[in-house]
Amino acid sequence: MRCCKTNYSLFFHPVLRYLKEQVPRIFCLKKEFSPQEEEELMQSRILQPLEFFLFGENPQEGLQKLQQGSTSSQLCGRVFKEGETVYSCRDCAIDPTCVLCMDCFQDSVHKSHRYKMHASSGGGFCDCGDVEAWKIGPCCSKHDTGAATDECVLEPELYERAEKLFRILLLYVTDFLVWEESSNLPDELQPRQKEPAYFCVLYNDEHHSYDHVIYTLQRSVNCDQAEAQTHTALIDKEGRRAVKRGSLRSCQQARDLIRSNSEHISLQPLRVEILHAAVMAHQTFALRLGSWFQKIISYSVGFRQAFCQVALETNIDGHPCLISRLMLHDARMYKGARKIVHELIFSSMLMDTEFKRLFAIEFTKHYKQLQKDFINDDHERSISITALSVQIFTVPTLARQLIEECNVIKVIVDTVMDLLREHLDDNNRFFFLGYNSDKFTRIQVIFHDLRYILISKPSVWTEELRGQFLEGLKVFLGFLKCMQGMEEVKRQFGQHIAVEPEWEAGFSLQMQLRHILAMFQDWCSSDNEILLLAFKECHKVLRECNNQAFQREPTDYYMCKQILNVRPYKVSQEPVSIHLPISRLLAGLYVLLCRTGAVEHLDDPLYDYTQLAEHPLRCVVLAAQVSAEMWRRNGLSLVSQVYYYQDVKCRDEMYDKDVVMLQIAASKMDPNHFLMLILLRFELFDYFNGSCSTKDQDELIQRNRLTEEMLYLLIIIIGERYVPGISHVTKEDVTMREVVHLLCIEPMAHSSLVKGLPENESHETGLESVIAKVATFKKPGVSGHGLYEVKKERLVEFNPFFYHYSRSQHSKAEESQKKRRTQEGSDKALRPPIPPAFCPAFSNIVRLLCCDIMVHILRRIFQRAAEDRATHWTEAMIQRAVHLIGQALLEEKTQLEDSTVEEVTFDFSLKARSECNPSVFHLLSKIKAIPSLEAQKDMVKWVLQMFEIVKCLREKSSPAASMSVETTKPEESAQDKEKAERKRKAEAAKLHRQKIMAQMSAMQKNFIESNKMLYDNMPETDPETPQVELCVAVGPQRGSTPAEKEVLTCILCQEEQEVLTQAPAMVLTACVQRSTVLTQCRGKIPTYKEDGTTYPLFMPPELAVGTHTGSCGHVMHATCWQKYFEAVQNTTRNRLHAELIVDLENGEYLCPLCKSLCNTVIPLIPLEPIIENAEIIGQHLTLPRWIQILCARIKGLKSGEPDFRSILSYGVQEPRKFSDSITEMLLVCATTVHRVGLQTAPNELCPHVPLMAWNTCAFNIQAIENILQEEDKPLFGSLQNRQLAGLKAIVQFSGAQRLKIGYDFIIAGLSTVLLPVVSRKNTPCLLEVDFVHLLVGLVLSIPSLYQEEAVDLGPSAVSSAYNHLHILHLVTMAHMLQVLLSSTGAVKTPTIQIVYGEETEEAKAAAELYTTVSQHTGSLIPDVSGSSVAERVKRGIQPFLRCAALFFNCLTGVQPPEELFIGAEGHFEALCSYLALPSNVFQLFQEHRDTVAPLLLNYCGNPAITKVLKGKTHIVRYPRRRNRLIDLPEDYSVLLNQASHFQCPKSTDDERKHPTLCLFCGAMLCSQSSCCLSQLDGEDVGACTAHAATCGAGVGMFLRIRECEIVLMAGKTRGSTYPAPYLDDYGETDPHLGRGNPLHLCPERYRKLNQLWQQHCILEEIARSLEVVNVMFAFEWQML
């Protein structure tokens, strides 16, 4: 660094002197400033003077002049942050790395194309404006090429000043970012007097966790946890942080403590250094200068060019340029410095074509060193300088220039070789035993760069490019040579292998090379000269590898008069490797030679095809032997290798290429010799030669299995022709065939098909272009996903021995197709499909089918089957042999049809019939009768037919005639069978119907006989005046309660029991939870004091929080439940993370049958029957009299009124008595409702216990009415059984709650809203009460007024009838007034309706009421017509009437009128009739005019109402707003756009956030982030948990936008994920945007989510999902 002195120009000494004085004053040395003060001082004292010098005038004026003469840049260049959503166009992008930021995408043509979206890993930038990145639409509307220019518009003086200033400042920045001395500064910046101030600086690493660092800091520098957390977060973000300031000694002590404390936790200590304050100051300012540079160069293209010129200019003394110095020190810089440097490169050199080229050359020059530094670095690649390779190597023109000028291919491959050299063995082959997985993963990343370079093949080859590419290819072949034959395996005998050998590293390399190999072949195919030279070079390297292959001399082998001279080798006894990249590359290049026609220029005699096929054949045999379980003792590692060898991830450059090489050999070798070679390597030569016999069962099984595999390989070699170059097919044909065979297994989702298809280098499978041709799409329902089904006409292409099927897929496909053919009435023969013809170079392969050895093999197999020697053959063997014959006959038939008999040399049918006795044909006819081959009978029959067809073709007789006979017979028989089957079914159905009718008739006669007395005593009814039972649920006209016995079965003991009041209790499982589903003031949840003094007596109309009690409808005996509950408590405590599913402390358990979450039980209570006739006293107990005696009773409880006991004179009876068991369960349920509803400790003596029971009853009714209205269902008859059972049980349970003596203040309090009984403080006005809750509370509490000190009494049925009637009338009138008063504020202008003719009675009554109210309120309400008032009030009270109807139906059991079972809307008159209300509800005010008048005056005179009418108070309007989940946009990218612009309100940094949307209220939250932690009940919780507490009373439903998944939450500790309601075009969800397809809202799924919320099933869904998933590591839901 001493040479720095010579680098600084003397002209700029004043600048350095100024920096020497000012920087320490602002940063680190003197008193510590706040970040804001520091920024202001830096701007005013340093940056503004620099800008003054740069512009030569006021910076603002200079900038304005500059902007007038410049235009915006064509390139966007937005640098992506980690997690930011980016878009790629599948139609237009040159490669998948070409991406757009959200804003550019929204304004581009690509929005209407096939695009993909995914989360950026950070570090890249937007390619908008780069014409080389896109086929069409390179620019969005903002970066249109027409509006941009890259010309320098700076004046010469300004450019010169910029260049000089940039040179000195960039040198300053570079020096301090790479500065390694901790206490000294360069001479130019050395202060006159050195301050004794130091900093202890802690650096980030990837070895220590957050908790480790926090722990270390707390114990080392005496800071509290909050301070330690702040330090740690900033160290992680910026890469370093000063954790202590002081003297050198104190900082040294802190350093030693940090090191020792961190070593106790991890073997590696934290990196900590001591820096002098002046060094720290200049380093801090150097970083700020980096940001300043970005700002300045964004002003003008000229500034950018000046900066690039300075950054890339080479020094006279030979030192690297400034930007190279920064790159070479990248791995030694901390994270914050790296980010600044990378952003500076992005905004400067990468935004200019020429400087990008120069930078790319510098980058390539230092590539090897940069990669070596990255390998030894512990930071992620996204913050390494090596990540910039994607920005350089993917530009097609730049990539080709780098190949020509720097031979970048050679540079990259050499880098990999240098890094992997340590893993070479003595044979110069890789051996990865004991490799470092982290280091190896980093090395593999380098292959991405090679892929980037090759991503766009050249259309024009220059001599320079040709030469350099071939040079690079030779180096690459040298690398592949080290892989050829690596990690050989040898079969283990006797004893199982002790240690599983390493295999993952080799296959990781293979997967990385898969696309690179394909791309090299693609480049070669674009130029015939290159292709030939590449093939020859590849063959040369392969021969060098094969020289070591054989240990023994060739031997002669004899079979069927054929001689094969080959070296002996047994896969089962000698080493074999699965890695043969050069052999496979050679096979690929040969096919390309055939495809381009360049194969003609090959000198064939030079190539020994037996040699070439040797290693691929060994590999195939190894897979076969593993399948035959011959290598069991070699462990799972070999099984895994064979699996990946044939798996879709690797097969196209492994297994498929081995098959191709065998096909090449088959086309060039004598067919008999080729088959003999196959038999030899499969170790079946002696077996088929008849010279091998064994009785060992294992050996026989293995041999049979090998024979199956060998036949399967022959089927593949002959039949698999779907490779461009082997036959005349296109890539599209290949993809279609793959898709057809996948869909023949079963219907599949789009994502499953994509997984089953190989991807190209652009991650495309070609599925979209072919799927419509081969399959039909079935849309998904509310759950599941869309499925593709193969089209019928495509089934002829099905090949049961498709070579990409795994064993399980083969059996599934075969079973599926046989089942389909059976259903269609066809035979079960799965015929071989007619394959496309081979290209000329491969046409000789078909000779395998008719050669002597093939016929010999087939005869041997059938002979063993005909002899029925069970251990020497298998059905699978026969199936494969028959398939081969089918292939041969189809080939012969095709040739005979295309040529004359004399020209056809293919004579399989002749050899199969006439060869030595018994012939194949004869044996085939014989095995047809073997019982164990019944499944193959149809196939054998088809083959025999084919023999006849071929025979006819050879004899030139008419094959059509014989075929028609053969083929029509099965069709006719199939049709006859189908007709007969239909007839049989119809007759069976007729007999079944007759039998049922006879049984019903007998049962009816039997019932009449056994109930003869009943039928005899039935009164005769006049048909003209039918007896219709009144459907009235309230008052003296109340209908009868159905006297049905309710007999239920306990789900635990399965015993039946009738529900009776004195019987042992039967209970319903239930879950009590707080709810905001009906709230009208979301986010405002009341809080209560624990002493109960603030517990509410009335439910406000906002319904801020209700108490919902739901049930799954399953019934148990109370005793059975108690035993089950105790058992659950004991067993669940021992379960891992049980607290996530059930909260044992709060009495939670899962329903034994359906696993719903429950926390209490509801005792079942039968309906109370009615005996008395209530009409007798109707004229005495009028509404005024009832109010009088009620008020007297309430007042008398305190003061002894004269009418105190008058209420008893209208009928009393003894209250229903319950068994002890029911009483106990009533208490259990009531205390749970009270505890959960008020969030208080259990207290059965609290006077609010019965009140909370009535409240939950009312809230349940309102919730169910809301659901029915929301789903447009009738009020009655449409509830699920569990909802209906739960509601009835809740109402009866609430009705059984009796207030104890002394708790009568509750009744008094409830009554004061309606009646001026006693003056009470804080009595709410009409507008401050929910009348459904009030109705339920009054109806269920009034029986408690009948209690006496000495005797427990209750109202008789007569009294109850009138009580219910008068309460309902009063509450209805009060609610009508509430609706009227609350709706007036909404009407700003009179809405007088013009009525023709006379006004209706209803309108007159409404107008009269409105006038009265107007007078009482001082004319604060506007004038409106009577009909308008009537309409508004009726609409407003309808939900109340519906709730009242549900309530009285469950309370009395009276059947509702039929109209209420049909439709959701209307039926106002039917509701009124059922509730004993006049259809003109305003009549109530006229009928009870004298009674109601003073009450109206009292109601309207309340000061609170005056406030409301003057608009000073917010009120609820009726009918209430029905809550739904928020509206979501149809296109998911709109949500992503919102998320991209989301800024956390509590954070100023630009780090990645997790924007999360509350679906209840639409709030956007910052989840899983430390910036938004808050306190809830003394605990730290995340933003979502805190929000759910206020928005949903602990329950939440959130959409995590970047993850595209729903999160359900319940409380602080429980949550689960749920599929988002967004589907792609294929009917599938896309969690975490893994596939990245465009997503659209599915209304049905969103409706289901809405139902999940409104039906209070979120808690249940969470419990079920957690029960299904075995939770090993608990997720901290409270931190979300």
Short mmCIF file of all heavy atoms in Angstrom, two decimals, residues 230-267:
data_model
loop_
_atom_site.label_atom_id
_atom_site.label_comp_id
_atom_site.label_asym_id
_atom_site.label_seq_id
_atom_site.Cartn_x
_atom_site.Cartn_y
_atom_site.Cartn_z
N THR A 230 -29.71 -6.33 18.61
CA THR A 230 -29.51 -5.27 17.62
C THR A 230 -28.16 -5.43 16.95
O THR A 230 -28.04 -5.35 15.72
CB THR A 230 -29.60 -3.89 18.30
OG1 THR A 230 -30.85 -3.79 18.98
CG2 THR A 230 -29.47 -2.76 17.29
N HIS A 231 -27.10 -5.62 17.78
CA HIS A 231 -25.76 -5.84 17.23
C HIS A 231 -25.77 -7.00 16.25
O HIS A 231 -25.24 -6.91 15.13
CB HIS A 231 -24.77 -6.15 18.37
CG HIS A 231 -24.31 -4.94 19.13
ND1 HIS A 231 -23.98 -3.75 18.52
CD2 HIS A 231 -24.10 -4.74 20.46
CE1 HIS A 231 -23.61 -2.87 19.44
NE2 HIS A 231 -23.68 -3.45 20.63
N THR A 232 -26.36 -8.11 16.67
CA THR A 232 -26.34 -9.34 15.86
C THR A 232 -27.07 -9.14 14.54
O THR A 232 -26.60 -9.57 13.47
CB THR A 232 -26.96 -10.51 16.65
OG1 THR A 232 -26.31 -10.61 17.90
CG2 THR A 232 -26.82 -11.81 15.90
N ALA A 233 -28.24 -8.48 14.59
CA ALA A 233 -29.01 -8.24 13.36
C ALA A 233 -28.21 -7.38 12.39
O ALA A 233 -28.19 -7.65 11.18
CB ALA A 233 -30.34 -7.57 13.71
N LEU A 234 -27.52 -6.36 12.90
CA LEU A 234 -26.74 -5.47 12.03
C LEU A 234 -25.48 -6.16 11.50
O LEU A 234 -25.06 -5.93 10.37
CB LEU A 234 -26.37 -4.18 12.78
CG LEU A 234 -27.55 -3.22 12.97
CD1 LEU A 234 -27.21 -2.13 13.95
CD2 LEU A 234 -27.97 -2.61 11.63
N ILE A 235 -24.88 -7.03 12.34
CA ILE A 235 -23.71 -7.80 11.86
C ILE A 235 -24.12 -8.69 10.71
O ILE A 235 -23.44 -8.81 9.70
CB ILE A 235 -23.10 -8.63 13.02
CG1 ILE A 235 -22.42 -7.70 14.04
CG2 ILE A 235 -22.08 -9.64 12.49
CD1 ILE A 235 -22.08 -8.38 15.35
N ASP A 236 -25.30 -9.33 10.86
CA ASP A 236 -25.79 -10.22 9.80
C ASP A 236 -26.11 -9.44 8.53
O ASP A 236 -25.85 -9.90 7.42
CB ASP A 236 -27.04 -10.96 10.29
CG ASP A 236 -27.57 -11.92 9.25
OD1 ASP A 236 -26.83 -12.84 8.86
OD2 ASP A 236 -28.72 -11.73 8.79
N LYS A 237 -26.64 -8.24 8.69
CA LYS A 237 -27.03 -7.44 7.54
C LYS A 237 -25.84 -6.78 6.85
O LYS A 237 -25.68 -6.83 5.63
CB LYS A 237 -28.04 -6.38 7.98
CG LYS A 237 -28.56 -5.52 6.85
CD LYS A 237 -29.36 -4.36 7.39
CE LYS A 237 -29.62 -3.35 6.29
NZ LYS A 237 -30.18 -2.10 6.78
N GLU A 238 -24.98 -6.12 7.65
CA GLU A 238 -23.87 -5.33 7.09
C GLU A 238 -22.57 -6.11 6.99
O GLU A 238 -21.66 -5.71 6.27
CB GLU A 238 -23.64 -4.08 7.94
CG GLU A 238 -24.82 -3.12 7.98
CD GLU A 238 -25.13 -2.52 6.62
OE1 GLU A 238 -24.22 -2.52 5.76
OE2 GLU A 238 -26.27 -2.08 6.41
N GLY A 239 -22.43 -7.17 7.77
CA GLY A 239 -21.21 -7.95 7.71
C GLY A 239 -20.24 -7.67 8.84
O GLY A 239 -19.36 -8.47 9.13
N ARG A 240 -20.40 -6.51 9.48
CA ARG A 240 -19.55 -6.23 10.64
C ARG A 240 -20.23 -5.16 11.49
O ARG A 240 -21.11 -4.44 11.02
CB ARG A 240 -18.16 -5.79 10.22
CG ARG A 240 -18.06 -4.35 9.73
CD ARG A 240 -16.62 -3.96 9.46
NE ARG A 240 -16.51 -2.51 9.23
CZ ARG A 240 -15.38 -1.90 8.97
NH1 ARG A 240 -14.25 -2.60 8.88
NH2 ARG A 240 -15.33 -0.59 8.77
N ARG A 241 -19.73 -5.04 12.73
CA ARG A 241 -20.32 -4.06 13.64
C ARG A 241 -19.34 -3.78 14.76
O ARG A 241 -18.73 -4.72 15.31
CB ARG A 241 -21.63 -4.61 14.20
CG ARG A 241 -22.24 -3.82 15.34
CD ARG A 241 -23.08 -2.69 14.85
NE ARG A 241 -23.91 -2.12 15.91
CZ ARG A 241 -24.53 -0.96 15.81
NH1 ARG A 241 -24.45 -0.27 14.70
NH2 ARG A 241 -25.26 -0.50 16.80
N ALA A 242 -19.15 -2.49 15.10
CA ALA A 242 -18.32 -2.13 16.25
C ALA A 242 -19.14 -2.39 17.52
O ALA A 242 -20.18 -1.77 17.72
CB ALA A 242 -17.92 -0.68 16.16
N VAL A 243 -18.69 -3.34 18.33
CA VAL A 243 -19.45 -3.70 19.53
C VAL A 243 -18.89 -3.04 20.78
O VAL A 243 -19.50 -3.12 21.85
CB VAL A 243 -19.52 -5.23 19.71
CG1 VAL A 243 -20.30 -5.86 18.59
CG2 VAL A 243 -18.12 -5.84 19.80
N LYS A 244 -17.72 -2.41 20.65
CA LYS A 244 -17.14 -1.70 21.80
C LYS A 244 -16.23 -0.59 21.31
O LYS A 244 -15.50 -0.75 20.34
CB LYS A 244 -16.37 -2.67 22.69
CG LYS A 244 -15.85 -2.00 23.98
CD LYS A 244 -15.25 -3.01 24.93
CE LYS A 244 -14.73 -2.34 26.19
NZ LYS A 244 -15.78 -1.68 26.97
N ARG A 245 -16.28 0.54 22.01
CA ARG A 245 -15.38 1.67 21.72
C ARG A 245 -14.63 2.00 22.99
O ARG A 245 -15.22 2.10 24.07
CB ARG A 245 -16.20 2.88 21.26
CG ARG A 245 -15.37 4.09 20.83
CD ARG A 245 -16.31 5.20 20.37
NE ARG A 245 -15.59 6.26 19.69
CZ ARG A 245 -15.02 7.31 20.31
NH1 ARG A 245 -15.08 7.41 21.62
NH2 ARG A 245 -14.39 8.25 19.61
N GLY A 246 -13.32 2.17 22.90
CA GLY A 246 -12.55 2.47 24.10
C GLY A 246 -11.07 2.46 23.81
O GLY A 246 -10.62 2.61 22.67
N SER A 247 -10.31 2.25 24.88
CA SER A 247 -8.85 2.20 24.73
C SER A 247 -8.44 0.90 24.08
O SER A 247 -9.23 -0.05 23.99
CB SER A 247 -8.19 2.31 26.11
OG SER A 247 -8.53 1.19 26.88
N LEU A 248 -7.20 0.85 23.65
CA LEU A 248 -6.68 -0.35 23.02
C LEU A 248 -6.79 -1.54 23.95
O LEU A 248 -7.19 -2.64 23.55
CB LEU A 248 -5.22 -0.13 22.59
CG LEU A 248 -4.53 -1.30 21.90
CD1 LEU A 248 -5.25 -1.67 20.60
CD2 LEU A 248 -3.06 -0.97 21.61
N ARG A 249 -6.46 -1.33 25.23
CA ARG A 249 -6.47 -2.42 26.22
C ARG A 249 -7.88 -2.97 26.43
O ARG A 249 -8.11 -4.18 26.42
CB ARG A 249 -5.88 -1.91 27.53
CG ARG A 249 -5.74 -2.99 28.59
CD ARG A 249 -5.02 -2.43 29.84
NE ARG A 249 -4.92 -3.44 30.86
CZ ARG A 249 -4.05 -4.44 30.86
NH1 ARG A 249 -3.20 -4.55 29.86
NH2 ARG A 249 -4.03 -5.32 31.83
N SER A 250 -8.85 -2.05 26.59
CA SER A 250 -10.22 -2.51 26.84
C SER A 250 -10.77 -3.26 25.62
O SER A 250 -11.50 -4.25 25.76
CB SER A 250 -11.13 -1.33 27.18
OG SER A 250 -11.24 -0.46 26.08
N CYS A 251 -10.40 -2.80 24.43
CA CYS A 251 -10.86 -3.49 23.22
C CYS A 251 -10.21 -4.86 23.08
O CYS A 251 -10.84 -5.82 22.62
CB CYS A 251 -10.56 -2.64 21.99
SG CYS A 251 -11.64 -1.19 21.84
N GLN A 252 -8.94 -4.95 23.48
CA GLN A 252 -8.25 -6.26 23.44
C GLN A 252 -8.91 -7.24 24.40
O GLN A 252 -9.08 -8.43 24.08
CB GLN A 252 -6.77 -6.08 23.78
CG GLN A 252 -5.95 -5.46 22.64
CD GLN A 252 -4.53 -5.11 23.06
OE1 GLN A 252 -4.25 -4.93 24.27
NE2 GLN A 252 -3.64 -4.97 22.09
N GLN A 253 -9.29 -6.76 25.59
CA GLN A 253 -9.96 -7.63 26.56
C GLN A 253 -11.30 -8.12 25.99
O GLN A 253 -11.63 -9.30 26.11
CB GLN A 253 -10.20 -6.86 27.86
CG GLN A 253 -8.94 -6.64 28.69
CD GLN A 253 -9.21 -5.75 29.90
OE1 GLN A 253 -10.24 -5.09 29.99
NE2 GLN A 253 -8.25 -5.74 30.83
N ALA A 254 -12.03 -7.19 25.37
CA ALA A 254 -13.32 -7.57 24.77
C ALA A 254 -13.11 -8.59 23.65
O ALA A 254 -13.86 -9.57 23.54
CB ALA A 254 -14.02 -6.33 24.22
N ARG A 255 -12.08 -8.39 22.84
CA ARG A 255 -11.79 -9.34 21.75
C ARG A 255 -11.50 -10.73 22.30
O ARG A 255 -12.03 -11.73 21.82
CB ARG A 255 -10.59 -8.83 20.95
CG ARG A 255 -10.15 -9.77 19.83
CD ARG A 255 -8.82 -9.35 19.24
NE ARG A 255 -7.76 -9.43 20.24
CZ ARG A 255 -6.54 -8.92 20.07
NH1 ARG A 255 -6.24 -8.27 18.96
NH2 ARG A 255 -5.63 -9.03 21.03
N ASP A 256 -10.65 -10.80 23.33
CA ASP A 256 -10.29 -12.10 23.91
C ASP A 256 -11.50 -12.79 24.51
O ASP A 256 -11.67 -14.01 24.38
CB ASP A 256 -9.19 -11.92 24.97
CG ASP A 256 -7.89 -11.38 24.36
OD1 ASP A 256 -7.74 -11.49 23.12
OD2 ASP A 256 -7.06 -10.83 25.12
N LEU A 257 -12.34 -12.01 25.17
CA LEU A 257 -13.56 -12.60 25.76
C LEU A 257 -14.50 -13.14 24.68
O LEU A 257 -15.07 -14.22 24.81
CB LEU A 257 -14.29 -11.54 26.59
CG LEU A 257 -13.77 -11.30 28.01
CD1 LEU A 257 -14.41 -10.07 28.62
CD2 LEU A 257 -14.02 -12.52 28.89
N ILE A 258 -14.66 -12.37 23.60
CA ILE A 258 -15.54 -12.82 22.50
C ILE A 258 -15.01 -14.11 21.90
O ILE A 258 -15.77 -15.06 21.66
CB ILE A 258 -15.66 -11.72 21.42
CG1 ILE A 258 -16.49 -10.55 21.95
CG2 ILE A 258 -16.29 -12.27 20.15
CD1 ILE A 258 -16.48 -9.32 21.06
N ARG A 259 -13.71 -14.16 21.69
CA ARG A 259 -13.12 -15.37 21.11
C ARG A 259 -13.30 -16.57 22.03
O ARG A 259 -13.70 -17.65 21.58
CB ARG A 259 -11.64 -15.14 20.81
CG ARG A 259 -11.41 -14.29 19.57
CD ARG A 259 -9.94 -14.03 19.34
NE ARG A 259 -9.72 -13.26 18.11
CZ ARG A 259 -8.55 -12.75 17.76
NH1 ARG A 259 -7.49 -12.91 18.54
NH2 ARG A 259 -8.43 -12.07 16.62
N SER A 260 -13.01 -16.40 23.29
CA SER A 260 -13.09 -17.55 24.22
C SER A 260 -14.53 -17.98 24.42
O SER A 260 -14.84 -19.17 24.43
CB SER A 260 -12.45 -17.20 25.57
OG SER A 260 -13.14 -16.11 26.16
N ASN A 261 -15.46 -17.02 24.55
CA ASN A 261 -16.87 -17.38 24.75
C ASN A 261 -17.46 -18.07 23.52
O ASN A 261 -18.26 -18.98 23.64
CB ASN A 261 -17.70 -16.13 25.09
CG ASN A 261 -17.56 -15.73 26.53
OD1 ASN A 261 -17.51 -16.58 27.42
ND2 ASN A 261 -17.47 -14.44 26.79
N SER A 262 -17.04 -17.61 22.32
CA SER A 262 -17.59 -18.24 21.11
C SER A 262 -16.98 -19.60 20.86
O SER A 262 -17.62 -20.48 20.29
CB SER A 262 -17.38 -17.33 19.90
OG SER A 262 -16.00 -17.07 19.70
N GLU A 263 -15.75 -19.81 21.31
CA GLU A 263 -15.11 -21.12 21.15
C GLU A 263 -15.77 -22.18 22.02
O GLU A 263 -15.77 -23.35 21.69
CB GLU A 263 -13.62 -21.02 21.50
CG GLU A 263 -12.76 -20.71 20.29
CD GLU A 263 -11.27 -20.74 20.61
OE1 GLU A 263 -10.89 -20.16 21.65
OE2 GLU A 263 -10.52 -21.32 19.82
N HIS A 264 -16.35 -21.75 23.15
CA HIS A 264 -17.05 -22.71 24.02
C HIS A 264 -18.26 -23.30 23.32
O HIS A 264 -18.65 -24.43 23.57
CB HIS A 264 -17.51 -22.02 25.31
CG HIS A 264 -16.35 -21.60 26.18
ND1 HIS A 264 -16.46 -20.67 27.19
CD2 HIS A 264 -15.05 -22.00 26.18
CE1 HIS A 264 -15.28 -20.51 27.76
NE2 HIS A 264 -14.41 -21.31 27.17
N ILE A 265 -18.88 -22.48 22.45
CA ILE A 265 -20.10 -22.93 21.76
C ILE A 265 -19.75 -23.69 20.49
O ILE A 265 -20.26 -24.76 20.22
CB ILE A 265 -20.98 -21.71 21.40
CG1 ILE A 265 -21.30 -20.91 22.66
CG2 ILE A 265 -22.26 -22.13 20.72
CD1 ILE A 265 -21.83 -19.52 22.38
N SER A 266 -18.86 -23.07 19.70
CA SER A 266 -18.47 -23.67 18.43
C SER A 266 -16.95 -23.83 18.45
O SER A 266 -16.25 -23.08 19.10
CB SER A 266 -18.91 -22.74 17.30
OG SER A 266 -18.34 -23.16 16.09
N LEU A 267 -16.46 -24.81 17.72
CA LEU A 267 -15.02 -25.05 17.69
C LEU A 267 -14.28 -23.88 17.07
O LEU A 267 -13.10 -23.66 17.32
CB LEU A 267 -14.72 -26.33 16.91
CG LEU A 267 -15.22 -27.62 17.55
CD1 LEU A 267 -15.00 -28.79 16.61
CD2 LEU A 267 -14.52 -27.88 18.88
#
